[in-house]
Amino acid sequence: MSDEIDHDGGANPERITPYVNAAGLKHEIEAAKELASEHARGYGFTTINNVILQSHEEANGVATVAIYACQDLTNVDLRDANGVSLVDDDRADFVAYVAELKSDSMGRLVVQSNKYWPGGGICKH
């Protein structure tokens, strides 16, 4: 959903609400405002690969899952209104994260946190 919001130049960032907690929504809205103010748009799609389960538990009908994931940005670009890329030439193509997800009242896993994981061992090819 984040990629779609970027493709639309930051329009309607609230679309991400079912997938993130309040902090994630706030972050997405701020990023969308910045994108809109720069008249920029995203191109391409992020993919996730090399996912490894770190932990999981279930208590009182709520599941909590933590994963290590490698985010592949090789096909993602951000361009200004003139079509000029805003991505630094030295941007990493693969970024490792540890993410925590928790089930909501509908049983969907919602991202609670998504933090950069230094070392990026999961992204080594």
Side-chain angles (χ1 to χ4, degrees), residues 16-111:
I16 205 160
T17 300
Y19 309 104
V20 298
N21 65 4
L25 177 60
K26 180 180 176 186
H27 171 78
E28 189 68 38
I29 289 171
E30 290 171 4
K33 285 180 184 177
E34 184 176 339
L35 199 65
S37 73
E38 295 178 9
H39 305 288
R41 289 188 178 276
Y43 294 85
F45 289 94
T46 305
T47 57
I48 303 294
N49 53 32
N50 298 345
V51 175
I52 296 175
L53 179 66
Q54 180 198 44
S55 64
H56 71 283
E57 67 178 61
E58 189 168 342
N60 301 318
V62 176
T64 303
V65 178
I67 60 169
Y68 295 114
C70 180
Q71 186 178 43
D72 181 347
L73 302 172
T74 56
N75 295 313
V76 177
D77 196 8
L78 185 62
R79 299 180 194 157
D80 67 16
N82 296 317
V84 176
S85 179
L86 300 172
V87 175
D88 291 335
D89 290 338
D90 62 349
R91 176 191 74 184
D93 287 334
F94 300 94
V95 181
Y97 287 92
V98 59
E100 182 179 298
L101 304 98
K102 190 176 280 190
S103 63
D104 66 9
S105 61
M106 305 279 292
R108 299 175 296 197
L109 287 174
V110 175
V111 176

